């Protein structure tokens, strides 16, 4: 058998993100939650494609687009042009979509995505504004078995940002990391909820495979409409493997557009290169060129918040946190702010605060269906609990049970500790008395321990903790037990 040749997967992503402005891109209709709003209730003559209407550009949408483009370090075009992309589909009442084509709002950006090797650079080719389509729901009549489709135009005309990368990703995992990094940025910028299940962010993956080390690009296959990170990752992995097998067999990969069949976990062909659409783009005659002044750009640039990557690095540096903890805390601005308030309010070390937040509190909140820390427990109240721990007034186990009770009752840590008499017993005499009592009650175990069954120390330790209702200082218990069992050391 000839040696297996190594292949390289090349991926470029096109990401569509709704700009969650108050109103739509070219009319005054409100942007509603398409998963809950009654169908066709946020619709007007403009977004339903009536003849004789005129679109007007939504300034807020341009502002949001600028935020994203600047966060991705793009060059902003002072003048960009809206065009008509013509095609027929039942979710597109006008028969064309208004989109920037030859002259996009922004170009030549970059995004560094986290990776084991310390970060990988993905170049951003362009960022442009367009409008979303309506939504189709396909149904089957249970009685007649006839299929039909329902049209909801609530989403029609919502501002949509398209972010196109260069083919710079080399694995499904890298593509996912890029998608996640983008989502984090959009959420930080407050332009998109990142709620993938509601379809506010969608991916198209372009995939090709070539022999490792070669510098040409193979024919690409475009996978349409990937609505989750899981689908994105699986579809790319599937497609890369399919193309590899074709190349292995000495054949050529055909350029085509495919869909992802979630049930079958495979890509299915939608159209070949010959069937590709000709959108007959031409400049939108009803809209003037979009002019963005340098002053506007600078104003938006100055208003950008600290971005996820920068925040994560700062958390590592400023608070001495490990990278994984810093990443967890920087995932959402609200969590990051909560952590900083907590770290500044408590006497405990920032690292301790971070561990309690990402460990105990996250676990308790997850069990309560993932409510946000700030809504469940004021950071100052949490800080007071960590202070009690830091001062040695309570031990770790007690702190965990007090935390749980704080969430349930809303009482302060000190109130709970005093009411339940949970102060840690560090008083040596009290602990020594408990040690004596336990040793006297378990003579057989003590004898076995002395005969070499060293694991029994753990049992005796547990008994002393039990005797003190879990309130003894574990370090004092360990010290006194050792002293009693090994009097000569
Ligand atoms: P179109 O606008 O027709 O979809 P583009 O050439 O602009 O085509 O590319 C769209 C996306 O496909 C970009 O994200 C780009 O990075 C990616 N891409 C282009 N060529 C390849 C390739 N050979 N393999 C993988 N991705 C590619
Ligand atoms: Mg494309
Ligand atoms: Zn409208």
């Amino acid at each position: 058998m000839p040696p297996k040749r190594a292949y390289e997967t090349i991926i470029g992503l096109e990401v569509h993100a709704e700009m969650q402005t108050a109103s739509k891109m070219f009319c005054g209709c409100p942007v509603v939650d398409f998963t809950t709003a009654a169908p066709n209730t946020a619709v007007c003559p403009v977004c339903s494609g009536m003849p004789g209407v005129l679109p007007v550009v939504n300034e807020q949408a341009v502002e949001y687009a600028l935020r994203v483009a600047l966060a991705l370090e793009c060059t902003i075009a002072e003048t960009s042009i809206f065009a008509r992309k013509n095609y027929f589909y039942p979710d597109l009442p006008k028969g064309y979509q208004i989109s920037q084509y030859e002259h996009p709002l922004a170009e030549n950006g970059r995004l560094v995505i986290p990776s084991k090797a310390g970060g990988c650079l993905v170049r951003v080719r362009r960022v442009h504004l367009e409008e979303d389509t309506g939504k189709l729901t396909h149904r089957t009549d249970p009685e007649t078995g006839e299929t039909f489709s329902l049209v909801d135009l609530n989403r029609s005309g919502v501002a949509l940002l398209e972010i196109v990368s260069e083919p710079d990703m080399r694995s499904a995992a890298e593509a996912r990391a890029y998608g996640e990094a983008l989502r984090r940025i959009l959420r930080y910028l407050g332009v998109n909820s990142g709620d993938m299940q509601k379809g506010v962010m969608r991916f198209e993956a372009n995939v090709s495979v070539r022999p490792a080390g070669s510098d040409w690009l193979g024919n690409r296959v475009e996978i349409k409409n990937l609505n989750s990170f899981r689908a994105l990752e699986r579809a790319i992995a599937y497609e890369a493997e399919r193309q590899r097998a074709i190349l292995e067999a000495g054949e050529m990969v055909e350029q085509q557009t495919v869909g992802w069949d979630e049930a079958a976990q495979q890509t299915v062909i939608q159209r070949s290169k010959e069937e590709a659409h000709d959108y007959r783009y031409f400049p939108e005659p009803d809209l003037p060129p979009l002019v963005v002044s340098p002053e506007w750009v600078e104003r938006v640039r100055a208003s950008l918040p600290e971005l996820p990557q920068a925040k994560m690095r700062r958390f590592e540096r400023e608070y001495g946190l490990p990278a994984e903890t810093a990443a967890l805390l920087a995932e959402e601005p609200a969590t990051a702010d909560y952590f900083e308030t907590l770290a500044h309010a408590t006497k405990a070390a920032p690292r301790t605060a971070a561990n309690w937040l990402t460990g105990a509190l996250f676990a308790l909140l997850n069990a309560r269906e993932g409510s946000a820390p700030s809504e469940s427990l004021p950071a100052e109240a949490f800080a007071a609990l960590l202070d009690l721990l830091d001062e040695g007034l309570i031990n770790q186990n007690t702190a965990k049970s007090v935390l749980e009770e704080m969430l349930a009752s809303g009482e302060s840590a000190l109130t709970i500790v005093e009411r339940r008499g949970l102060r840690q017993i560090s008083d040596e005499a009290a602990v020594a008395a408990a040690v004596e009592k336990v040793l006297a009650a378990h003579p057989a175990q003590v004898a076995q321990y002395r005969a070499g069954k060293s694991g029994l120390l753990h049992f005796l330790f547990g008994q002393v903790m039990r005797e003190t209702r879990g309130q003894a200082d574990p370090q004092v218990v360990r010290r006194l037990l050792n002293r009693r069992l090994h009097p000569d050391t």
Side-chain angles (χ1 to χ4, degrees):
M1 224 169 61
K4 201 172 171 180
R5 284 166 75 189
Y7 290 93
E8 185 176 36
T9 308
I10 311 287
I11 305 148
L13 288 188
E14 295 167 77
V15 180
H16 283 102
E18 271 165 18
M19 294 292 95
Q20 296 180 311
T21 44
S23 58
K24 294 186 181 181
M25 184 68 218
F26 300 114
C27 64
C29 289
V31 174
V32 295
D33 181 342
F34 320 109
T35 60
T36 54
N40 300 306
T41 49
V43 180
C44 74
V46 173
C47 57
S48 60
M50 293 295 150
V53 295
L54 283 177
V56 177
V57 172
N58 179 340
E59 185 178 344
Q60 182 87 66
V62 178
E63 170 109 10
Y64 278 14
L66 285 175
R67 279 190 206 168
V68 178
L70 290 171
L72 296 174
E73 301 175 47
C74 289
T75 306
I76 309 296
E78 191 160 350
T79 304
S80 57
I81 309 280
F82 286 102
R84 286 190 185 180
K85 179 181 181 179
N86 300 280
Y87 67 98
F88 172 79
Y89 207 64
D91 63 9
L92 188 72
K94 288 200 297 277
Y96 60 84
Q97 179 190 27
I98 302 179
S99 172
Q100 296 187 314
Y101 181 58
E102 267 180 287
H103 304 283
L105 179 71
E107 289 179 288
N108 297 326
R110 64 207 287 278
L111 177 58
V112 176
I113 57 174
S115 84
K116 281 187 210 111
C120 137
L121 176 77
V122 175
R123 290 166 300 154
V124 173
R125 182 181 291 180
R126 55 188 276 149
V127 173
H128 74 243
L129 269 167
E130 53 188 43
E131 56 178 335
D132 211 344
T133 59
K135 210 169 153 45
L136 296 180
T137 306
H138 306 291
R139 292 265 168 82
T140 306
D141 188 309
E143 273 162 30
T144 63
E146 254 181 283
T147 57
F148 59 97
S149 298
L150 299 167
V151 186
D152 176 10
L153 295 181
N154 282 348
R155 200 179 69 180
S156 171
V158 169
L160 201 61
L161 199 67
E162 179 166 343
I163 304 161
V164 183
S165 85
E166 292 294 340
D168 287 349
M169 287 152 276
R170 294 291 176 267
S171 68
E174 232 170 63
R176 181 190 182 125
Y178 168 83
E180 288 177 342
L182 261 187
R183 175 176 181 269
R184 223 175 280 130
I185 290 173
L186 296 176
R187 283 163 57 87
Y188 263 61
L189 297 174
V191 302
N192 182 291
S193 69
D195 199 341
M196 311 279 295
Q197 279 171 350
K198 293 192 170 161
V200 297
M201 228 183 134
R202 281 116 54 191
F203 301 100
E204 278 161 33
N206 294 270
V207 181
S208 65
V209 167
R210 69 182 178 193
S214 56
D215 55 6
W216 47 271
L217 285 176
N219 279 339
R220 71 189 155 101
V221 168
E222 179 166 0
I223 316 170
K224 287 283 188 195
N225 272 323
L226 297 163
N227 296 331
S228 71
F229 290 119
R230 208 175 124 100
L232 175 71
E233 206 173 351
R234 296 239 173 128
I236 292 172
Y238 175 90
E239 186 53 35
E241 205 40 58
R242 189 186 72 84
Q243 292 184 21
R244 196 162 316 192
I246 292 174
L247 296 185
E248 290 275 357
E251 286 164 35
M252 283 269 288
V253 173
E254 220 194 301
Q255 181 171 333
Q256 58 189 28
T257 302
V258 302
W260 174 242
D261 182 338
E262 188 64 51
Q265 293 281 301
Q266 62 181 44
T267 53
V268 278
I269 181 155
Q270 286 181 347
R271 54 179 183 263
S272 66
K273 193 180 179 183
E274 289 71 41
E275 301 161 305
H277 286 144
D278 173 3
Y279 294 114
R280 293 173 293 119
Y281 281 99
F282 62 86
E284 165 62 63
D286 291 339
L287 285 171
L290 175 65
V291 178
V292 176
S293 71
E295 293 75 36
W296 190 5
V297 172
E298 288 322 307
R299 204 161 61 240
V300 176
R301 198 195 302 279
S303 76
L304 290 185
E306 180 180 37
L307 293 170
Q309 198 88 334
K311 201 182 279 289
M312 184 188 142
R313 296 273 170 263
R314 181 169 64 78
F315 280 10
E316 287 181 70
R317 212 175 48 237
E318 204 171 306
Y319 301 106
L321 301 182
E324 312 81 72
T325 312
L328 263 179
L329 293 172
E331 181 64 29
E332 287 186 37
T335 310
D337 290 349
Y338 185 89
F339 164 69
E340 291 206 88
T341 311
L342 178 66
H344 289 129
T346 180
K347 288 178 222 147
R351 219 181 154 113
T352 307
N355 288 340
W356 275 84
L357 174 56
T358 57
L361 187 61
F362 276 12
L364 287 168
L365 295 182
N366 275 342
R368 310 164 121 229
E369 319 224 305
S371 50
S374 55
E375 284 162 25
S376 315
L377 180 66
E380 292 75 14
F382 194 9
L385 171 70
L386 297 182
D387 284 350
L388 298 185
L389 183 67
D390 191 60
E391 290 157 8
L393 197 79
I394 55 175
N395 66 27
Q396 302 245 1
N397 278 332
T398 305
K400 276 194 189 132
S401 95
V402 171
L403 179 62
E404 198 167 349
E405 196 166 335
M406 288 171 79
L407 284 180
S409 72
E411 286 174 297
S412 81
L414 195 60
T415 307
I416 295 167
V417 168
E418 297 300 2
R419 179 164 49 71
R420 288 177 47 200
L422 294 175
R423 275 172 186 269
Q424 171 165 269
I425 305 167
S426 312
D427 172 26
E428 298 230 351
V431 177
V435 168
E436 290 313 321
K437 198 167 164 195
V438 165
L439 296 187
H442 300 282
Q445 283 85 347
V446 173
Q448 282 170 12
Y449 174 76
R450 290 203 160 115
K453 212 169 163 192
S454 58
L456 280 168
L457 184 60
H458 192 70
F459 165 79
L460 294 168
F461 172 82
Q463 291 302 311
V464 178
M465 288 309 286
R466 215 172 114 179
E467 182 62 33
T468 58
R469 290 166 53 228
Q471 286 162 241
D473 180 339
Q475 281 182 342
V476 177
V477 175
R478 232 167 261 130
R479 183 153 45 78
L480 294 187
L481 255 183
N482 270 318
R483 195 188 293 162
R484 266 296 267 108
L485 293 167
H486 307 273
D488 18 313
T489 56

